[in-house]
Amino acid sequence: MQAGLVWSMLNSTELPPKLDGHTLRYSDPGDILEMLAGAVGPPTGVCVLEDTVVGAASWAQVPLSRQYDAVTNRAAAFVAGAMNYLRVIGPDAVSVLDLLTPKDMTKLKVGHGTFVLFTTPAGTIDNEAVVLRTAEDEFLLSCGGPTKSPSWLPEALEVHSRARVEQAGVACFNIKGPLRLAAMSRLVHPDDATKILDLGIFGACPARTPEGRPVWVLRTTIGVEMWGDGDALRQSWVRILDMPDLVTPCGWDLLDIFRVECEDMIFGVYPIELHGGTTLWEAGYSWMAGSPKPRNYIGRAALQETRLARRLWLAGLASPDSSVDVPYLGEEVFTSDGEFAGYVTTGAFSPKHQRPLAFAHLKPWCQPGQSLVVADDEWTVAKLPFAPPATAAAEVSASGLDDATASQRRTA
């Protein structure tokens, strides 16, 4: 894992002392986390990236089995308030963003969004963001990672001076699951509902809440997001709590399960699978630099040089059966002869596969189908995303899935 970068999970009793001592930052636009704690019980744990609280592990009164049912059969809502939301505006706005990433940002149309990885001069991954183009000369960014914005943004602004960056004054949340568009359409003004239902992948549209507050709604590959100010998001979450048969509040424990089971894409996150020690080629995002654009960008030469010099690759690990413990972040992976082969980044019990699955950074010589060892248990290397199970998995009992939650805590 990247040196000095700490991703951890605190239990609910550890959080108040750390907040009282001002050792952690806590961002909650609209007081949504506080409202949810009052409605569905306190968080069972808190996710922390370095000194920032980024989300709840789960909710005391929302069993993990119910969350899994929501993301599988209905709609599951996730808070995303701790991201850093920026507005890049001006005639050079697109040129500023284009200089920071291998992705061709000039191709992003107004009313559309995209997922972007920014790069370093060394060709590694600097940060991630969802970028929404709201006008010809205006973009909204939802940035993750510890730096909270692209590290080389100041340099890009010096090169392209007819642009400025400001805090966007918005936050967002997202909904996943097969009924996600239907759920989001009920959170906007009735006159805007049809626009939500008609969104294509990475299409976006301006909308209003029923109270008339302006928001943007963006459909991604695996979810649908609402971007707006704290009041608009709070009003939306009040409505979410009033629709328990359609949409359920969910946390990071469920997100880990969703990520390892996701068949639509490699669902890595910064800074766990993606960070400053990995390149696009190593993290499974080579498609972002697959068609070289004609203009230069930060890290271009270095990234091309590392195309064949891969030090690791982001792989899957599948356990033989349900009796194996879920591995934790940083747990080492070995060959049967004891040779170091890599380390685990994310692990979760998969109801779909009826066994634990994991993501791992493995040495380049590790091959799909190869047997490796984690904590004395044998695991099999697989390409990502995981292929669907050969036969439909048996229905998971509520107690079985809920009992697995304690094994899914990350540690640095």
Side-chain angles (χ1 to χ4, degrees):
M1 191 152 182
Q2 187 177 2
L5 196 58
V6 179
W7 174 270
S8 60
M9 189 78 77
L10 301 177
N11 64 44
S12 56
T13 61
E14 291 176 296
L15 180 61
K18 290 183 179 292
L19 286 176
D20 292 342
H22 302 290
T23 57
L24 290 180
R25 293 183 294 165
Y26 185 70
S27 176
D28 187 11
D31 296 324
I32 293 168
L33 292 174
E34 292 295 330
M35 180 183 68
L36 286 174
V40 294
T44 59
V46 181
C47 310
V48 176
L49 173 58
E50 290 199 324
D51 63 348
T52 303
V53 176
V54 299
S58 191
W59 303 100
Q61 297 172 19
V62 188
L64 191 61
S65 54
R66 179 181 162 196
Q67 296 179 43
Y68 185 78
D69 175 69
V71 82
T72 304
N73 301 310
R74 299 178 290 107
F78 299 84
V79 179
M83 307 292 281
N84 188 32
Y85 298 89
L86 302 175
R87 177 178 285 103
V88 183
I89 192 167
D92 284 347
V94 67
S95 297
V96 166
L97 295 176
D98 198 56
L99 185 57
L100 298 171
T101 175
K103 198 161 198 175
D104 192 339
M105 298 304 294
T106 66
K107 294 182 178 179
L108 183 61
K109 298 178 181 179
V110 175
H112 288 78
T114 189
F115 174 72
V116 170
L117 289 174
F118 302 111
T119 44
T120 73
T124 58
I125 296 171
D126 171 52
N127 210 322
E128 66 173 354
V130 173
V131 179
L132 171 59
R133 192 167 195 171
T134 55
E136 191 65 29
D137 294 337
E138 181 176 281
F139 298 80
L140 294 178
L141 278 66
S142 169
C143 302
T147 61
K148 296 297 182 181
S149 63
S151 299
W152 279 265
L153 183 57
E155 287 79 359
L157 290 168
E158 289 182 5
V159 175
H160 301 288
S161 58
R162 297 183 303 158
R164 69 179 189 275
V165 177
E166 59 191 27
Q167 291 297 312
V170 301
C172 85
F173 67 90
N174 69 84
I175 302 178
K176 295 178 171 61
L179 301 183
R180 57 189 180 272
L181 287 175
M184 187 63 78
S185 71
R186 292 180 60 179
L187 301 179
V188 299
H189 193 281
D191 292 345
D192 294 327
T194 300
K195 292 194 299 183
I196 307 304
L197 296 172
D198 291 342
L199 285 175
I201 303 298
F202 277 109
C205 67
R208 298 159 295 160
T209 66
E211 293 80 13
R213 301 195 72 87
V215 296
W216 275 85
V217 177
L218 168 67
R219 181 181 180 182
T220 66
T221 304
I222 53 175
V224 57
E225 303 179 353
M226 177 183 284
W227 298 45
D229 64 24
D231 288 341
L233 300 191
R234 182 182 179 87
Q235 292 164 356
S236 297
W237 274 93
V238 169
R239 288 186 175 82
I240 286 172
L241 293 173
D242 286 339
M243 299 188 293
D245 293 336
L246 176 59
V247 59
T248 299
C250 296
W252 274 87
D253 285 339
L254 187 277
L255 187 63
D256 280 350
I257 297 173
F258 181 84
R259 291 201 297 119
V260 299
E261 288 190 348
C262 184
E263 297 169 9
D264 297 316
M265 55 181 278
I266 299 176
F267 196 168
V269 298
Y270 195 105
I272 304 174
E273 284 78 29
L274 321 171
H275 55 69
T278 59
T279 67
L280 300 180
W281 323 115
E282 295 168 338
Y285 289 79
S286 57
W287 53 268
M288 195 169 290
S291 300
K293 63 186 185 184
R295 297 166 306 283
N296 192 27
Y297 60 87
I298 290 174
R300 177 173 182 162
L303 185 59
Q304 295 306 317
E305 289 175 2
T306 61
R307 185 166 191 158
L308 299 178
R310 305 185 189 188
R311 302 154 299 172
L312 58 90
W313 66 294
L314 180 57
L317 291 175
S319 61
D321 55 56
S322 61
S323 65
V324 175
D325 289 337
V326 175
Y328 56 81
L329 170 62
E331 194 158 11
E332 295 180 328
V333 183
F334 299 92
T335 67
S336 57
D337 296 330
E339 182 178 359
F340 177 75
Y343 67 91
V344 172
T345 57
T346 294
F349 179 82
S350 166
K352 183 187 294 184
H353 293 257
Q354 285 289 279
R355 65 191 64 200
L357 300 177
F359 293 164
H361 283 161
L362 298 181
K363 294 288 189 178
W365 43 260
C366 297
Q367 298 295 317
Q370 182 177 350
S371 293
L372 296 174
V373 177
V374 181
D376 296 327
D377 293 315
E378 186 177 278
W379 292 69
T380 302
V381 179
K383 288 185 177 181
L384 293 177
F386 285 104
T391 57
E395 184 176 349
V396 181
S397 69
S399 60
L401 183 57
D402 295 332
D403 289 345
T405 307
S407 300
Q408 294 170 20
R409 294 286 184 258
R410 299 189 194 88
T411 184

